[in-house]
Amino acid sequence: MSLFGSLSENEFFDNYWRKKPLLIRGGVKNFCENIPTSAEYDKATKILEEKGLNYVSRDGDKVIFTRNLEQALEGMENYIEKIKQIFKWSDISIDGVKAQNSRSIGSHFDHSDNFVLNIHGKKIWRLHPADFIPNNILRRRLRDEANIGKAPMPKNCIEWELLDGDLLYIPLFWVHWGVSSGNSYSISVALN
């Protein structure tokens, strides 16, 4: 079985990669065999905070966003190597979000392709191509300039509800906004 369930890797690359988002119901189990538990996420977040790294952002205890979890999650090296081989990509990181009660990190676009693994909870995702964002802003985002990436969500966006175990692919630059409806926990595999 492919990382993408019944969809072959060739079908994914031909039809979705950098073209359009993809939702795979129950796809987390195929995409990642060692899914970090909520407790493992909490432990990794604490380790990164104790190291004084600027990888953790908090909105009180309502939203916790942690970047570069792979630096503190045990056993992720083999998984990242597998993803590197499949995608022929060298810069891969793992981010995570825990949110409570209709919370979110806000509408934005990334300088990476993202695979969101919705581990627990229900989240509404809104997505839109970056066709309304000026090219100079996209270039600045690629250079990882500070304060570049927030974007409004157009009304004619795609909207999907993710449930436990669902996998969502978000192409490079696509504007996206995931809002938790209750408590949720997800990780993202980012191909930077």
Side-chain angles (χ1 to χ4, degrees):
M1 175 109 10
S2 144
L3 283 179
F4 311 105
S6 61
L7 189 70
S8 74
E9 290 169 11
N10 285 340
E11 288 173 310
F12 171 77
F13 285 110
D14 289 346
N15 299 312
Y16 295 95
W17 178 250
R18 298 247 163 117
K19 295 177 184 88
K20 61 184 178 181
L22 173 66
L23 171 60
I24 301 175
R25 296 283 178 208
V28 167
K29 66 184 178 297
N30 294 320
F31 199 82
C32 184
E33 59 270 342
N34 296 323
I35 300 163
T37 65
S38 179
E40 289 169 331
Y41 170 84
D42 292 342
K43 180 180 175 185
T45 296
K46 184 176 179 184
I47 289 168
L48 293 171
E49 284 180 312
E50 287 173 354
K51 287 183 176 181
L53 300 171
N54 192 24
Y55 292 160
V56 181
S57 303
R58 292 178 180 268
D59 177 5
D61 62 350
K62 302 296 182 194
V63 179
I64 303 168
F65 175 65
T66 307
R67 292 173 292 287
N68 300 99
L69 280 165
E70 73 282 357
Q71 294 184 23
L73 279 173
E74 295 180 26
M76 293 307 285
E77 302 85 12
N78 291 339
Y79 174 68
I80 287 179
E81 283 306 313
K82 176 183 170 182
I83 297 297
K84 284 180 178 181
Q85 294 301 313
I86 290 169
F87 287 91
K88 309 289 188 246
W89 214 263
S90 62
D91 187 4
I92 296 173
S93 61
I94 298 175
D95 301 333
V97 177
K98 283 182 113 174
Q100 297 179 13
N101 305 325
S102 300
R103 297 296 181 132
S104 166
I105 62 172
S107 182
H108 65 283
F109 64 97
D110 293 319
H111 60 328
S112 58
D113 290 271
N114 291 290
F115 293 91
V116 177
L117 288 70
N118 198 64
I119 298 168
H120 170 73
K122 189 186 302 185
K123 241 179 186 176
I124 303 296
W125 280 89
R126 293 180 181 98
L127 304 113
H128 195 281
D131 52 9
F132 64 98
I133 299 174
N135 285 335
N136 68 320
I137 299 297
L138 297 176
R139 281 192 296 276
R140 291 175 64 196
R141 182 70 174 129
L142 276 176
R143 291 192 300 261
D144 206 17
E145 289 186 28
N147 302 316
I148 301 293
K150 291 185 191 261
M153 181 57 64
K155 291 186 188 294
N156 61 337
C157 63
I158 297 169
E159 185 172 296
W160 285 327
E161 180 181 67
L162 268 68
L163 306 173
D164 292 1
D166 288 345
L167 174 68
L168 174 63
Y169 166 63
I170 304 171
L172 173 78
F173 292 144
W174 272 64
V175 178
H176 54 281
W177 190 359
V179 179
S180 177
S181 56
N183 295 344
S184 69
Y185 163 49
S186 63
I187 62 169
S188 294
V189 178
L191 282 71
N192 303 306

